[in-house]
Amino acid sequence: MAFIIKSKLDNILKDDALGIGKVASSDPMGINATVGSFQPFEVFDFVKEIEGGLSTKDKYAYSSVDGGEKFRQATNSYLGLSDHYVISTPGGTGAITTSVGLTLEKGETLLIPYPCWGPYFGIAKENGLNVATYTLLKDDKFNLDGFIEVGNKIISEEGKLVFILNDPCHNPTGYSLRQEELEDLVGYLNKQKVPCTMILDCAYLDISNEARHKDRSFLKLHLEDNVEILYCVSYSKSYQIYGQRLGALVMKDEFFYKVACFHARTTWSNCNHAMITLIEKVELDLETKAKHKKALEKIQNALSERSKLFLSEAKSCNLKTLKYDNGFFISIPCKNNKEVFEKLKDEHIYVLPVCDLVRVAICGLTLEQVKGLAKKIKEYIIE
Ligand SMILES: Cc1ncc(COP(=O)(O)O)c(C=O)c1O
């Protein structure tokens, strides 16, 4: 312990979703609604085909620090952009950590929604930052007033604003901002006289079944010069390649790109060459890209069926849920979420207690497992 610097002594990984998921999956009778990966777990056929044909060099040689020009084009194509700089990252997590670390000095404040994906708190802590939160939803809508209230305070104290927006299919609620809500948010940022950075965590972009997400038109936003979007891409979910660890950080500013390259080289150096080649081969080929879209529809449809069943049963038994549009998770407000977790665990049902909620990962369940689950959870909930 004495070998570790004082400021890191408190950084112990606990109550982590991956850890709880491991316990859940080692229970042979377990219903695992904890981890954010789609089940039944299958590698897409076109992914297998491409992987099988990769050369030794594609698989085992170093990649370049940023992933290379073709990867830049491929990731631009993935986001429906054309002229952005790109850096390959270890998953979406790598892109988010890099964005946060390069935009905030120690002691400055990162604004995140509540509830949110748990690692945001850890990323802030690892970088010596303060965290400010706003309640994501108010009356089942994006809480822009709440965002502005906290945003104004940070701007007046620190002369800048850096925040994470997790959209679409926000984890853990499954909420996606309406286009007007996104535009109103950008409208607020455009009016500020200080630099505003939106770290757009779009990890679940391909999980949404809305047309404006599928064709990426939701990203056509008018930004003034004081506003920068850092797009944090996770190929984990889009391509079902979670364990292969590939994502991308995408930005408009060349200087930012150069600094991010330095960060990458001195942190993880470069990323998974085989997966970089995979993304290039899909995103730059219209036919394979169409196959990918088709494969994703299966996941979107399955989620839609599972969520419909869970939500209708929740309604029948008066189990309150937060507003859900699409995505891997449904959230239930709950004061005693740790107790609910323990009680359900005794019945071999594993959910995740996060942010005064119980998060149910419908992505991990069969329809059969979803059936009756809302009622079971309701038995133990204190709202
Ligand atoms: C909201 C959110 N952001 C980012 C990520 C990062 O994903 P990965 O690093 O596996 O690409 C996840 C994964 O669970 C997530 O839920």
Side-chain angles (χ1 to χ4, degrees), residues 17-18 35-37 89-96 116-120 123 164 166-172 201-204 232-237 241-243 245-248 328-329 359:
L18 294 178
V35 168
S37 60
T89 57
T93 310
I96 298 165
C116 67
W117 187 48
Y120 295 158
I123 289 170
I164 301 178
N166 176 203
D167 191 69
C169 312
H170 171 263
N171 177 2
D201 176 359
C202 52
Y204 295 92
C232 297
V233 170
S234 162
Y235 285 120
S236 313
K237 274 116 205 177
I241 53 167
Y242 309 91
R245 311 307 303 136
L246 186 66
F328 275 15
F329 314 107
R359 188 188 84 173

Side-chain angles (χ1 to χ4, degrees), residues 41-80:
F41 188 77
E42 277 168 15
V43 182
F44 292 141
D45 286 341
F46 70 89
V47 169
K48 274 191 232 161
E49 244 170 67
I50 293 173
E51 242 194 316
L54 291 181
S55 69
T56 303
K57 195 169 165 222
D58 283 340
K59 281 194 206 162
Y60 301 116
Y62 279 129
S63 160
S64 54
V65 170
D66 61 2
E69 171 57 19
K70 262 187 154 181
F71 183 67
R72 187 191 74 78
Q73 289 171 17
T75 300
N76 267 282
S77 160
Y78 173 83
L79 285 173

Side-chain angles (χ1 to χ4, degrees), residues 21-296:
K22 214 167 170 195
V23 176
S25 57
S26 62
D27 178 347
M29 284 153 62
I31 293 182
N32 186 357
T34 60
V35 168
S37 60
F38 184 81
Q39 305 293 329
F41 188 77
E42 277 168 15
V43 182
F44 292 141
D45 286 341
F46 70 89
V47 169
K48 274 191 232 161
E49 244 170 67
I50 293 173
E51 242 194 316
L54 291 181
S55 69
T56 303
K57 195 169 165 222
D58 283 340
K59 281 194 206 162
Y60 301 116
Y62 279 129
S63 160
S64 54
V65 170
D66 61 2
E69 171 57 19
K70 262 187 154 181
F71 183 67
R72 187 191 74 78
Q73 289 171 17
T75 300
N76 267 282
S77 160
Y78 173 83
L79 285 173
L81 304 169
S82 57
D83 56 351
H84 280 55
Y85 295 92
V86 172
I87 290 177
S88 55
T89 57
T93 310
I96 298 165
T97 311
T98 305
S99 304
V100 170
L102 297 184
T103 52
L104 288 163
E105 299 282 5
K106 272 198 174 75
E108 288 185 329
T109 304
L110 174 68
L111 176 57
I112 56 177
Y114 194 85
C116 67
W117 187 48
Y120 295 158
F121 289 101
I123 289 170
K125 196 167 184 190
E126 181 68 12
N127 284 286
L129 306 173
N130 301 317
V131 170
T133 60
Y134 65 99
T135 305
L136 179 76
L137 298 173
K138 192 175 167 200
D139 303 328
D140 288 349
K141 296 191 174 80
F142 176 66
N143 179 17
L144 182 61
D145 290 344
F147 178 93
I148 290 176
E149 193 184 328
V150 188
N152 281 347
K153 185 165 180 287
I154 295 172
I155 286 173
S156 71
E157 288 171 3
E158 300 180 13
K160 67 197 268 193
L161 181 61
V162 178
F163 68 98
I164 301 178
L165 185 75
N166 176 203
D167 191 69
C169 312
H170 171 263
N171 177 2
T173 62
Y175 188 78
S176 294
L177 266 72
R178 310 294 176 260
Q179 198 59 31
E180 315 80 76
E181 292 178 327
L182 200 50
E183 280 162 18
D184 288 350
L185 172 62
V186 169
Y188 163 75
L189 303 173
N190 281 342
K191 275 193 277 172
Q192 304 310 307
K193 304 262 175 299
V194 300
C196 296
T197 306
M198 178 197 293
I199 299 172
L200 181 61
D201 176 359
C202 52
Y204 295 92
L205 180 52
D206 273 337
I207 304 305
S208 168
N209 48 14
E210 284 187 50
R212 71 196 170 97
H213 296 136
K214 286 186 179 183
D215 67 13
R216 315 310 197 216
S217 58
F218 82 114
L219 292 174
K220 307 260 172 294
L221 298 162
H222 169 74
L223 307 180
E224 293 293 343
D225 287 347
N226 69 312
V227 183
E228 156 110 296
I229 297 183
L230 300 174
Y231 304 86
C232 297
V233 170
S234 162
Y235 285 120
S236 313
K237 274 116 205 177
S238 280
Y239 277 77
Q240 300 285 290
I241 53 167
Y242 309 91
Q244 291 289 335
R245 311 307 303 136
L246 186 66
L249 174 58
V250 179
M251 76 287 301
K252 184 105 182 129
D253 181 38
E254 186 182 6
F255 186 67
F256 198 108
Y257 159 77
K258 286 181 178 166
V259 175
C261 279
F262 182 91
H263 172 80
R265 180 68 180 104
T266 55
T267 313
W268 59 79
S269 185
N270 60 90
C271 288
N272 184 323
H273 200 156
M275 292 302 109
I276 287 173
T277 314
L278 167 76
I279 304 302
E280 292 167 3
K281 288 193 185 292
V282 179
E283 294 299 332
L284 298 176
D285 179 76
L286 286 181
E287 215 175 290
T288 321
K289 202 166 158 142
K291 280 190 199 164
H292 181 210
K293 297 267 176 225
K294 199 104 211 104
L296 285 166

